[in-house]
Amino acid sequence: MKAGAEARVDGYWAEVFEVEVARIWEPGIHTTWARDPWPGVYVLVRPGVVRLRAPGRERAKLEPILDAVPAEDALDAGRWRVALDAFSPHVLGPAIHSYRSDPVASDPSDIAVVSERDVRLFADEVGEGEFEESGLADATTVFGMRENGRLVAAAGLSVWMAEPSDIGVLTLPSARGRGYGRRVAAAAVNEAIELAGIARWRSLASNAASRSLARSLGFEDRGENLGIRLSL
């Protein structure tokens, strides 16, 4: 990843955790008691670094709990569910954040921007759960591939850091294993890099297909996280 893109990623995380950019990857466990009203705990992990973000107004209740979770369990969703049981936690993740700032080799034939109507029909066909997880629901531009006129694979660009740079990809189950996902993803990645200079890829750590596709496209992992919404 280019130095400028790397600096943007570090700047993004520094803003999330309200810390100076130079300190974002300091080794150890660090907690930010945030001023905003989001009712939850955000966990970010890189080798040797754990960053936690929690609502400052609830510090007295949450600090003893957060302090009791060791670094090696920071991404253990089950551990957090038990530790925060009194707050009815809804845990999302762990998810891996990956980035790329150079274009990828692509084959643009048979790939085109698709309409909102086609995206809605595609969502109905794949099912709400997979569609939501893919990130296509928030896409401002969607690239698609068709088979006999039917949309079988789609990759979208959503806004991240005020730029269309977040990648979401989904292929119909019946069309998987044919390389369609990689082709539409490459189109979206190159569009993001042309427009924003960077592409971001997020996927659940358990989503082997998405992780494999990200690696095949040369994305660099730069952080794994959990989001834990609480009833406060």
Side-chain angles (χ1 to χ4, degrees), residues 18-175:
E18 300 176 12
V19 67
E20 296 174 5
V21 175
R23 297 179 53 204
I24 187 60
W25 304 126
E26 283 183 349
I29 303 177
H30 312 278
T31 302
T32 297
W33 296 101
R35 296 182 292 271
D36 70 57
W38 189 72
V41 177
Y42 193 88
V43 184
L44 175 68
V45 175
R46 286 192 67 197
V49 184
V50 176
R51 284 205 169 268
L52 306 171
R53 189 178 191 278
R57 70 182 187 280
E58 304 292 344
R59 181 169 183 169
K61 297 179 185 177
L62 295 174
E63 189 166 25
I65 298 172
L66 270 58
D67 287 348
V69 177
E72 59 267 26
D73 290 342
L75 291 171
D76 187 331
R79 175 69 183 261
W80 284 111
R81 289 189 185 97
V82 172
L84 295 166
D85 180 66
F87 303 96
S88 302
H90 177 57
V91 183
L92 299 174
I96 299 173
H97 296 237
S98 310
Y99 306 86
R100 183 179 174 94
S101 58
D102 293 308
V104 298
S106 64
D107 177 5
S109 61
D110 302 322
I111 296 175
V113 174
V114 299
S115 68
E116 290 185 17
R117 177 180 178 277
D118 283 340
V119 173
R120 288 195 299 270
L121 293 172
F122 185 71
D124 291 341
E125 193 163 1
V126 297
E128 182 178 353
E130 280 199 84
F131 186 74
E132 288 293 334
E133 184 182 329
S134 73
L136 289 172
D138 300 318
T140 55
T141 303
V142 176
F143 296 89
M145 280 195 69
R146 298 179 186 275
E147 196 175 69
N148 299 320
R150 176 193 185 201
L151 186 63
V152 294
L157 290 179
S158 302
V159 173
W160 174 67
M161 291 189 72
E163 302 273 12
S165 52
D166 212 19
I167 310 297
V169 184
L170 188 57
T171 303
L172 291 183
S174 61

Side-chain angles (χ1 to χ4, degrees), residues 149-228:
R150 176 193 185 201
L151 186 63
V152 294
L157 290 179
S158 302
V159 173
W160 174 67
M161 291 189 72
E163 302 273 12
S165 52
D166 212 19
I167 310 297
V169 184
L170 188 57
T171 303
L172 291 183
S174 61
R176 290 171 185 169
R178 305 181 202 174
Y180 295 161
R182 191 185 192 285
R183 289 184 61 195
V184 292
V189 167
N190 288 343
E191 181 79 355
I193 291 170
E194 180 177 347
L195 295 175
I198 192 170
R200 180 173 74 155
W201 188 292
R202 292 176 297 163
S203 58
L204 292 175
S206 60
N207 190 334
S210 182
R211 295 291 304 135
S212 177
L213 183 52
R215 286 192 292 269
S216 77
L217 290 164
F219 275 78
E220 177 184 335
D221 297 343
R222 200 165 177 81
E224 190 167 356
N225 83 283
L226 284 175
I228 311 166

